[in-house]
């Protein structure tokens, strides 16, 4: 038995050692249903004391994840080989699991698929999470997990969480369950039958625990779904990765209590009492094997021990391990996956992945989910600088700038420990310096000074680029390994490459696993064409291209060309070293010469920076920098740097270093004497020393940029793949929210008039509106770029943000973009999709609701769309099901503006679904928005009607209501009683009419004297304060001439004409008869605007806002207009704006208007022109004052309104009441006096 154990252990040892020596693939690939080349990286500052414990937890979690992935994908995929990059301080002497560790090839933190961090994420905590910036069906950026999770004795549970994130990362799928507090993807949703249901995808109806007591309408009410309540629930794994719960999945088969002895993570569901058998076999088989191999041996144990396990271990109970497919997927539940993937199931999206286009990865095949791990230390990078020295460089200052730039980047920018070599080429290639580790300043000086003093005389056409690539690859192979490395190629001229050489270069780089970064110096073509074979080779190898335009002036060159080369080399090295190894660039600015004596500027220093700040001035000639170089601290302390300057003529640089207590966070300023010529200038650059783990990583600011076109080629004609620019802004592991992030897109070359192209500024946003930003508040800022034209473009991203009380500034430069075709001249770009439509009830109202959304724009999220289309229907299928359109919605506002529309909803006790989309002038449309549900229970019959601005004119429903048994439940008022009441009212009206006619027939006789004033005006007016108007100069004669009897002078035609004039002069309506919606729909996320303006449809409100005259039924044409403004009335009695309005005209409101209702306006007050016979005085001044008063005003009949149609009922103008038919709509303002 002992010999059997020895043989068993030796076999496992051989298997483990063979796994350790396996080599990493060039990239992650799926081969025969197993992923190879997966990279996991642990952060450098993780303590050595956690080494063994973390690696054991990682091994167990990866094995459990592989088995779960295999089950979820129906054996289409699993994890097969994983390389784990551990901190260099972790050695086999302190961590036995690392016995046999090797050097990494190209694996690093920046290229890792899974990254284990020191700190927890501020939002996700220790759980793994995936950054997805590319949308549905696109691979994510990376998976991050806090190391705390791996220290928990929950390997099976950890594996399920990692598997869940791997599916998101690899296939571009999303959660199929609601999120607590998310109004767009709530935990519960209202189904068409008005019931609240869990917002999740499952193979059956999902039941919540009976113990749940929270209200499903509450966004804070989380789902309480357990395996006990859903014993047959098997999907979706993208909704419930935690089922079975932690208590069922926390224990590994052999409880891990001592980190020195790992335990196998069996991907099985073992019942209680079965653990001991497995543990005994495991312990007995490994008892004699050194502990350093335990973790590796444990990975093979499930496969070897499977015959020894009982049958229940392989079957187990039902767990949620499957994915929703077309058979059980509900495309209308409001999950994040449905919104991002247009209702497609996870299986539909996953099947479209490139991984499964190969028939070798098919469903149902037997899959070995065993994971092999290879531990590696991060290798110090190897870089070969490959420099073109043909005669294209033998012009102006090109070669001089080249030598200075190479010296500077080697001396200051490349991190310590990197191995750097140098090769030059013309018609052949030559090694100028072999790979050497940059360990001190002497080595850096030797390598940086290796370029010859003068370039060769070989012509550009004889250049042999492949010769230089082959020599560089041989140099990398001889010095440090046969695989991996980096080449930075600097070449000038046309930089062309034939198709034959293009394919050959691709194969050479691919076979060697080498990344190429390209610097075209200088770009001679003044009107460059997009794309080149050399740039394509660079992109396919994983590198980027940078271009420096030629800035020659006669026999000279501008210093801007030198600084451009420095900048390009800086970012090329950054692509190799990563952001943590490079000096942090805080500020850079060009100060042209010949303008003024001083060049001034400012830069921000934040606490996340190192305590050493370098202030550098780059010049063409040292005489261009005057004697005064001052730095002003945030406390206004002026620092004279005369004794702090370090001048380096070999690099055309003056450097000032601030360190220690001199470095104060805040806004610094500088003042430099600029004596440069008009065609030259000075460049100011401020940097901080690179990141150091011991300095405190948690406060470090990281800025990274990229596009959705990794090859750098953009076909702007294909509007389905528009250019998107991304920028990630992090502080430690957490996102920086609220930063201002802009991308400057500059076309290279010259415009037709010979001037440089002006940069186009693109403001990037982190709003989560899917166009293209996927998640709000994740620190990834992005934006589509429409309307591109053919050409080469450079992209620079600028970031300004705040951490705590301090501000910071950063910027990064991306590689060259080649737009190979322009955007079509015919507008084919649709508006952005609305994905944040929300509905809320207006407070204090029974059935008034408000819709809120972000204005989408005209071309994507730029500009202003033409109009909205709003669909409503009884089912969520608003494309193929029953639906209609809601009318009278506001016009779109400018993109990114919050819009709001309020209306009265009269459909009770049934669920309605509402969606919206915008239309541009060319009728381009996006997809329908997210849907919102509207459900309003019918109000109780005993509930008092809400207080309105007007007396309700709706007809009461007097029809009998019966239940299914035809029993009378309710009926209207008694018919006889109604007849009696109506007859009484009619009788009163008849008697009143007769009395009125009798009084009217007794008219006073007219005064026969032409010069006499009517008796009404023959006495002094009695003023309440007994004051007399002694300054009035007009006589009774003038009054007689100025005023005529209103009864005698007003004809019906004149009254109608006057009324129409007043209508045309209304200040509520625009001249074009339309409404201006811009002000009343500008809302904020926090709530309504100060004046509570809402949009109302004429179908919904009798009174609406005064800005929208079309929202009102017209008044009766039988009513009299009010007297004009400007009567000569005493200021002590009447208001200065005109004659007082009678109470019958003003009394439309019995109480102050409520904020819950619309502010409405009224145009009953006439304009500046009075009715005929009441012509207004030309002015209201002292010459019009007198002791006499104007003639009496005829009594005005009350304005009566005919009943309006019930909301949502169609209005037929042809059959409407006389007061409505054929008349224009009116606006009333109840707040007017």
């Amino acid at each position: 038995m002992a010999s059997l154990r020895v043989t068993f252990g030796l076999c496992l040892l051989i298997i483990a050692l063979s796994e350790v020596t396996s080599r990493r693939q060039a990239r992650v690939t799926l081969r025969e249903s197993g992923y190879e080349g997966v990279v996991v990286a642990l952060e450098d500052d993780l303590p050595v004391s956690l080494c063994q414990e973390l690696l054991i937890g990682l091994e167990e979690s990866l094995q459990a994840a592989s088995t779960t992935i295999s089950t979820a994908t129906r054996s289409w995929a699993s994890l097969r080989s994983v390389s784990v990059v551990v901190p260099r301080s972790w050695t086999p002497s302190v961590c036995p699991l690392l016995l046999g560790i090797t050097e990494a090839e190209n694996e690093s933190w920046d290229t890792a698929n899974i990254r284990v961090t020191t700190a927890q994420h501020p939002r996700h905590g220790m759980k793994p999470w995936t950054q997805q910036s590319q949308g549905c069906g696109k691979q994510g950026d990376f998976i991050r997990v806090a190391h705390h999770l791996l220290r928990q004795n929950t390997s099976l549970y950890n594996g399920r969480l990692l598997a869940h994130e791997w599916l998101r990362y690899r296939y571009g799928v999303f959660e199929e369950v609601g999120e607590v507090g998310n109004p767009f993807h709530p935990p519960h949703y209202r189904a068409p039958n008005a019931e609240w249901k869990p917002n999740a995808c499952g193979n059956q109806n999902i039941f919540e625990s009976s113990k749940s007591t929270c209200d499903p309408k509450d966004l804070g009410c989380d789902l309480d779904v357990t395996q006990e309540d859903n014993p047959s629930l098997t999907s979706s794994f993208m909704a419930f990765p935690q089922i079975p719960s932690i208590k069922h999945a926390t224990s590994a088969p052999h409880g891990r209590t001592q980190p020195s002895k790992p335990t196998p993570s069996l991907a099985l569901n073992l019942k209680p009492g079965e653990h001991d058998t497995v543990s005994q076999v495991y312990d007995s088989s490994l008892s004699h094997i050194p502990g350093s191999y335990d973790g590796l041996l444990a990975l093979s144990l499930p496969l070897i021990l499977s015959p020894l396990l009982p049958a229940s271990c392989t079957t187990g109970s039902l767990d949620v391990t499957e994915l929703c497919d077309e058979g059980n997927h509900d495309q209308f539940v409001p999950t994040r996956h449905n919104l991002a993937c247009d209702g497609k199931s996870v299986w539909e999206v996953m099947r479209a992945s490139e991984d499964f286009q190969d028939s070798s990865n098919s469903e149902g095949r037997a899959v070995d989910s065993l994971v092999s791990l290879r531990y590696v230390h991060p290798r110090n990078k190897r870089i070969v600088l490959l420099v073109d020295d043909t005669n294209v460089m033998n012009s102006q200052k090109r070669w001089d700038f080249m030598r200075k730039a190479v010296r500077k980047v080697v001396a200051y920018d490349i991190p310590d420990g990197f191995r750097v070599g140098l090769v030059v080429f013309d018609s052949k290639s030559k090694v100028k310096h072999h790979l050497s580790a940059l360990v001190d300043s002497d080595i850096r000086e030797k390598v940086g000074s290796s370029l010859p003093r003068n370039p060769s005389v070989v012509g550009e056409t004889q250049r042999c680029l492949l010769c230089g690539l082959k020599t560089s690859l041989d140099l990398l192979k001889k010095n440090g390994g046969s695989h991996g490395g980096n080449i930075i190629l600097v070449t000038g001229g046309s930089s062309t490459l034939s198709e034959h050489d293009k394919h050959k270069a691709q194969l050479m780089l691919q076979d060697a696993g080498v990344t190429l970064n390209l610097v075209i110096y200088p770009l001679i073509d003044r009107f460059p064409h997009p794309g080149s074979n050399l740039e394509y080779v660079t992109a396919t190898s994983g590198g980027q291209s940078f271009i420096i335009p030629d800035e020659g002036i006669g026999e000279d060159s501008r210093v801007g060309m030198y600084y451009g080369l420095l900048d390009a080399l800086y970012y090329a090295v950054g692509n190799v070293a990563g952001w943590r190894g490079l000096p942090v660039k805080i500020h850079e600015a060009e100060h042209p010469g010949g303008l003024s004596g001083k060049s001034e500027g400012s830069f921000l220093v934040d606490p996340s920076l190192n305590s050493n700040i370098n202030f550098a001035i780059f010049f063409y000639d040292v005489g261009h920098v005057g004697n005064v170089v001052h730095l002003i601290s945030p406390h206004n302390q002026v620092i004279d740097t005369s004794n702090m300057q370090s001048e380096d003529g070999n690099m055309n640089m003056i450097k000032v270093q601030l360190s220690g207590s001199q470095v104060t966070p805040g806004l610094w300023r500088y003042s430099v004497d600029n004596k440069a010529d008009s065609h030259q200038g000075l460049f100011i650059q401020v940097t901080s020393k690179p990141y150091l783990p011991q300095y405190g990583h948690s406060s470090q600011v990281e800025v990274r940029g990229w596009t959705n076109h990794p090859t750098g080629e953009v076909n702007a004609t294909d509007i389905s793949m528009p250019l998107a620019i991304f920028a990630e802004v992090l502080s430690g592991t957490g996102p920086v929210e609220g930063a201002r992030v802009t991308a400057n897109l500059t076309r290279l070359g010259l415009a037709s008039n010979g001037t440089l192209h002006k940069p186009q500024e693109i403001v990037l946003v982190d709003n989560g509106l899917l166009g293209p930003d996927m998640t709000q508040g994740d620190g990834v800022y992005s934006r589509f770029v429409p309307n591109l034209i053919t050409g080469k473009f450079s992209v620079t991203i600028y970031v300004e943000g705040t951490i705590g009380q301090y501000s910071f500034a950063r910027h990064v430069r991306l590689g060259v973009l080649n737009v190979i075709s322009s955007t079509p001249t015919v507008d084919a770009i649709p508006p952005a999709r609305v994905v944040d439509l929300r509905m809320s009830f207006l407070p204090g109202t029974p059935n008034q609701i408000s819709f809120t959304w972000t204005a989408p724009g005209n071309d994507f999220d730029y500009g202003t769309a033409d109009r909205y289309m709003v669909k409503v229907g009884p089912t969520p299928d608003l494309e193929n099901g029953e639906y209609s359109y809601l009318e009278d919605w506001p016009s779109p506002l400018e993109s990114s503006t919050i819009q709001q529309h309020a209306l009265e909803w009269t459909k009770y006790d049934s669920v309605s679904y509402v969606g919206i989309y915008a239309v541009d002038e060319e009728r381009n449309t996006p997809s329908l928005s997210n849907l919102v549900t509207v459900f309003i229970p019918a109000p109780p019959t005993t509930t008092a009607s809400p207080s309105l601005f007007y007396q309700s004119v709706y007809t009461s429903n007097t029809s009998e209501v019966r239940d299914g048994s035809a029993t009378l439940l309710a009926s209207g008022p008694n018919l006889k009683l109604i007849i009696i009441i109506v007859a009484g009212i009619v009788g009163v009206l008849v008697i009143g009419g007769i009395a009125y006619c009798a009084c009217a027939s007794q008219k006073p006789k007219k005064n026969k004297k032409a010069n006499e004033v009517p008796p009404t005006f023959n006495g002094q007016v009695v003023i309440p304060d007994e004051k007399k108007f002694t300054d009035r100069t007009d006589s009774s004669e003038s009054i007689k001439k100025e005023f005529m009897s209103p009864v005698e002078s007003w004809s019906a035609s004149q009254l109608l004409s006057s009324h129409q004039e007043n209508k045309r002069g209304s200040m509520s309506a625009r001249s074009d008869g339309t409404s201006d919606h811009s002000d009343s729909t500008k809302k904020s996320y926090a709530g309504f605007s100060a004046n509570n303006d809402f949009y109302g449809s004429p179908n919904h409100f009798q009174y609406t806002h005064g800005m929208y005259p079309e929202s009102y039924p017209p008044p009766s044409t039988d009513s009299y207009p009010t007297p004009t403004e400007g009567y000569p009335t005493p200021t002590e009695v009447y208001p200065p704006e005109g004659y007082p309005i009678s109470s019958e005209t003003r009394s439309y409101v019995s109480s102050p208007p409520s904020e819950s209702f619309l502010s409405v306006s009224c145009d009953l007050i006439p304009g500046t022109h009075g009715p005929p016979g009441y012509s207004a005085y030309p002015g209201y001044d002292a010459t019009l004052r007198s002791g006499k008063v104007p003639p009496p005003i005829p009594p005005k009949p009350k304005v009566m309104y005919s009943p309006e149609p019930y909301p949502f009922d169609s209005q037929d103008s042809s059959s409407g009441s006389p007061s409505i038919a054929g008349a224009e709509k009116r606006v009333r303002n109840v707040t007017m006096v």
Side-chain angles (χ1 to χ4, degrees), residues 846-847 908-909 936-944:
N847 62 344
Y908 299 109
D909 287 336
I936 301 179
T941 56
T942 58
T943 303

Side-chain angles (χ1 to χ4, degrees), residues 102-159:
T102 61
E103 290 290 312
E105 294 173 352
N106 274 341
E107 301 94 338
S108 67
W109 172 270
D110 295 306
T111 61
N113 312 104
I114 303 174
R115 305 173 185 181
V116 181
T117 63
T118 304
Q120 298 188 32
H121 191 273
R123 181 179 301 176
H124 303 284
M126 69 173 68
K127 292 184 178 180
W129 62 278
T130 303
Q131 180 169 292
Q132 294 176 275
S133 63
Q134 299 292 318
C136 182
K138 306 294 184 180
Q139 179 171 303
D141 303 324
F142 51 77
I143 301 172
R144 283 198 177 184
V145 55
H147 79 280
H148 309 77
L149 184 69
L150 302 180
R151 300 186 65 189
Q152 310 298 314
N153 191 19
T154 57
S155 298
L156 295 180
Y157 176 70
N158 298 350

Side-chain angles (χ1 to χ4, degrees), residues 518-825:
L518 172 65
V519 177
I520 298 179
Y521 167 82
L523 177 65
I524 300 176
D525 191 353
R526 299 302 176 106
F527 306 97
H529 296 284
S532 72
N533 286 340
L534 186 53
E535 292 174 49
Y536 181 81
V537 170
T538 300
T540 55
S541 73
Q544 290 186 331
S545 300
F546 303 93
I547 294 180
I548 298 92
D550 185 24
E551 297 185 55
I553 305 174
E555 296 297 323
D556 212 343
S557 298
R558 295 187 69 247
V559 69
M561 204 163 85
Y562 170 51
Y563 187 81
L565 179 57
L566 288 175
D567 199 52
L569 290 173
Y570 170 88
Y571 286 109
V573 172
N575 287 341
V576 177
W579 74 271
R580 299 184 175 188
L582 217 61
V584 180
K585 188 177 291 188
I586 304 170
H587 170 78
E588 66 178 5
E590 177 184 4
H591 296 277
L595 297 179
S596 63
K598 288 186 178 180
S599 293
E600 298 178 336
S602 61
F603 57 92
L604 287 168
V605 174
D606 58 90
S608 71
L609 298 171
N610 198 293
S611 58
N612 291 313
I613 302 295
N614 293 317
F615 179 87
I617 305 172
F618 295 93
F619 51 82
Y620 178 82
D621 184 88
V622 68
H624 290 172
V625 182
N627 295 327
V628 177
V629 178
H630 287 170
L631 296 177
I632 301 96
S633 73
H635 303 300
N636 289 325
Q637 178 187 1
V638 179
I639 302 176
D640 187 351
T641 65
S642 300
N643 298 323
M644 303 169 59
Q645 299 176 16
S646 174
E647 182 181 324
D648 192 333
N650 292 327
M651 302 176 192
N652 288 18
M653 179 180 69
I654 294 175
K655 185 178 69 170
V656 176
Q657 180 170 311
L658 300 174
S659 59
S661 60
Q662 291 179 308
V663 181
T664 304
L667 181 65
W668 284 73
R669 291 170 291 151
Y670 59 84
S671 177
V672 178
D673 276 350
N674 187 346
K675 298 182 178 299
D677 301 331
S678 58
H679 61 281
Q680 296 292 350
L682 302 178
F683 281 83
I684 308 295
Q685 182 186 89
V686 184
T687 59
S688 174
K689 282 192 174 181
Y691 158 80
L692 296 174
Q694 61 270 23
Y695 183 67
H697 166 64
S698 60
S699 63
Q700 292 295 309
V701 175
E702 173 186 1
V703 177
R704 185 171 64 97
W706 68 95
T707 73
N708 61 339
H709 292 267
T711 63
E713 289 191 357
V714 181
N715 181 5
T717 305
D718 183 7
I719 62 174
S720 65
M721 276 295 292
L723 171 65
I725 300 176
F726 299 86
E728 178 188 46
V729 187
L730 301 178
S731 175
T733 58
V736 176
E737 300 184 44
R740 173 173 171 78
V741 184
T742 58
N744 278 7
L745 193 67
T746 307
R747 186 180 180 187
L748 300 177
L750 300 178
S752 57
N753 59 1
T755 61
L756 296 175
H757 295 280
K758 294 183 179 180
Q760 176 186 1
E761 183 179 272
I762 309 295
V763 178
L764 308 185
V765 294
D766 183 14
N767 55 19
L769 297 181
L770 308 187
D773 195 75
M774 297 302 299
T775 305
Q776 182 179 11
D778 63 346
V780 177
Y781 297 75
S782 58
R783 196 84 177 269
F784 284 130
V785 184
N787 304 320
L788 292 171
I789 59 175
T790 303
K792 286 182 178 291
F793 293 83
S794 67
V795 181
T796 305
I797 297 174
Y798 297 91
V799 178
E800 296 178 0
T802 303
I803 300 177
Q805 60 179 332
Y806 295 103
S807 300
F808 69 90
R810 302 285 191 276
H811 66 273
V812 295
R813 182 176 172 184
L814 307 186
V816 171
L817 290 175
N818 290 287
V819 180
I820 59 177
S821 62
S822 301
T823 303
T825 54

